[in-house]
Amino acid sequence: MCAFPNVTLVFLLALTVMSSLSITVNFDRAVKITAKRKIELESIFIECALNDMVRISAPMISEHDEYYLSAPPYGDTTKLELHAPKLLNKNNTHFHKNTALKYIFIKDIKALVNHEKNYHVFTSKSFGKKLKHLKPNEFMIGPLTEENYGNWVLSVYTKGHGEWIELFQVITLAITEPAVIEPQYPVLKIGDTFNLSFAYSLPAIETCEVIAPQWTFDRFFERTLGNFDKCGFSIPNVTKDDEGLWKIIGVGRIIHTGRVRLRVLGPYVKGDNTP
């Protein structure tokens, strides 16, 4: 954890940035607060790529809230040294212009303040610039690795009538990496079998999906056992209707996506849906 004047920065893995700044964070296994009530806030779904960085704005209720962040896959938790800026401070006019007020009911009405867009994805090359403009209620995750894929949980503990209340928000990091499909330039004849797969094996593959061209309906295909860890598929007896863009989506530690355009040689016949 690294603190700067008016800036709090949290990285959730050991890393070296710009070869001169090394940051490590130690996780605590348990939160030492017992909340009498839990309230779920609107979840966030963030699409990103390997080595990206994510800046997230934590919701604010009062200046005395406590923040904790649980990381996948095991829910290791760390305390974030965040705080709400003084909104009436004349020096916070820029913050004022980029906030949106939402109201929640916790035995009484309290203002829940957050930015209009409470997250931003950028490359590690922009680290220095983003660091300078980091606000007191913001933190960063990254550079992203496969271990960061999944559901994070941001918990805000605030007091209402002397009792702790937990407001929690699920933050899903959907890390997607482009992948090469083989063959890269498939050209087949009508009646041939179309075999396609990723060009390399995926680590800990769980699910594979093939998406046919939009004008292909109820297309029969089967998984090729020899290429199971490469998301291999076999489409027999191709027709002109199969010509077009095919996609493979494979989910392992992260999401892998690839696409390839199939060309089918031969004349159009009656019943073809392709114009």
Side-chain angles (χ1 to χ4, degrees):
M1 189 174 296
C2 183
F4 294 79
N6 300 319
V7 172
T8 300
L9 174 66
V10 174
F11 279 103
L12 303 168
L13 52 152
L15 65 146
T16 301
V17 181
M18 297 184 294
S19 73
S20 62
L21 180 59
S22 180
I23 302 174
T24 350
V25 170
N26 295 320
F27 289 99
D28 296 323
R29 284 288 177 182
V31 178
K32 299 177 177 64
I33 297 177
T34 302
K36 296 293 184 180
R37 186 179 177 189
K38 292 187 177 184
I39 299 175
E40 184 174 4
L41 303 178
E42 184 179 355
S43 60
I44 305 175
F45 183 86
I46 304 177
E47 294 182 315
C48 40
L50 287 176
N51 298 316
D52 277 349
M53 302 188 70
V54 182
R55 186 271 299 158
I56 299 174
S57 299
M60 298 166 292
I61 303 169
S62 75
E63 294 184 32
H64 307 290
D65 300 330
E66 294 200 20
Y67 295 82
Y68 290 85
L69 188 66
S70 298
Y74 305 114
D76 290 336
T77 302
T78 187
K79 183 178 180 181
L80 307 182
E81 299 300 331
L82 307 179
H83 64 273
K86 296 179 180 179
L87 299 181
L88 298 181
N89 190 320
K90 293 181 181 180
N91 296 326
N92 284 319
T93 53
H94 176 74
F95 179 87
H96 243 327
K97 293 178 182 179
N98 292 278
T99 58
L101 289 175
K102 298 179 181 179
Y103 290 89
I104 57 173
F105 185 74
I106 314 177
K107 295 185 179 179
D108 55 358
I109 297 295
K110 286 193 173 184
L112 175 65
V113 185
N114 214 331
H115 295 276
E116 293 177 355
K117 184 177 181 182
N118 53 356
Y119 70 89
H120 179 62
V121 180
F122 57 95
T123 65
S124 56
K125 294 180 180 180
S126 304
F127 168 75
K129 180 178 179 181
K130 299 297 181 183
L131 177 61
K132 291 180 181 178
H133 296 92
L134 205 65
K135 296 181 174 60
N137 70 312
E138 294 182 335
F139 62 97
M140 295 183 186
I141 303 174
L144 298 179
T145 68
E146 293 181 350
E147 286 72 25
N148 301 136
Y149 175 86
N151 294 328
W152 299 68
V153 179
L154 174 64
S155 294
V156 185
Y157 292 87
T158 189
K159 279 194 173 181
H161 295 283
E163 296 181 346
W164 283 106
I165 299 170
E166 178 189 356
L167 293 90
F168 67 94
Q169 184 175 48
V170 177
I171 302 170
T172 301
L173 297 186
I175 303 176
T176 303
E177 185 75 359
V180 176
I181 291 181
E182 56 180 9
Q184 296 186 42
Y185 306 100
V187 179
L188 300 175
K189 295 182 293 184
I190 292 176
D192 286 346
T193 297
F194 180 30
N195 295 307
L196 71 163
S197 70
F198 287 127
Y200 48 83
S201 298
L202 297 176
I205 186 65
E206 295 179 2
T207 62
C208 294
E209 179 183 2
V210 62
I211 301 177
Q214 60 182 358
W215 47 76
T216 298
F217 300 98
D218 298 325
R219 188 63 169 95
F220 173 80
F221 62 86
E222 58 185 13
R223 291 290 305 275
T224 53
L225 297 179
N227 285 329
F228 193 83
D229 59 348
K230 297 168 64 176
C231 285
F233 293 92
S234 181
I235 295 88
N237 194 27
V238 299
T239 69
K240 273 291 188 178
D241 288 341
D242 296 318
E243 194 169 58
L245 190 65
W246 288 76
K247 302 177 184 178
I248 296 180
I249 300 174
V251 180
R253 295 193 181 117
I254 60 174
I255 302 171
H256 300 264
T257 62
R259 59 183 62 192
V260 68
R261 187 170 296 278
L262 171 64
R263 182 185 175 196
V264 179
L265 303 177
Y268 289 97
V269 296
K270 186 177 180 180
D272 279 343
N273 293 321
T274 307

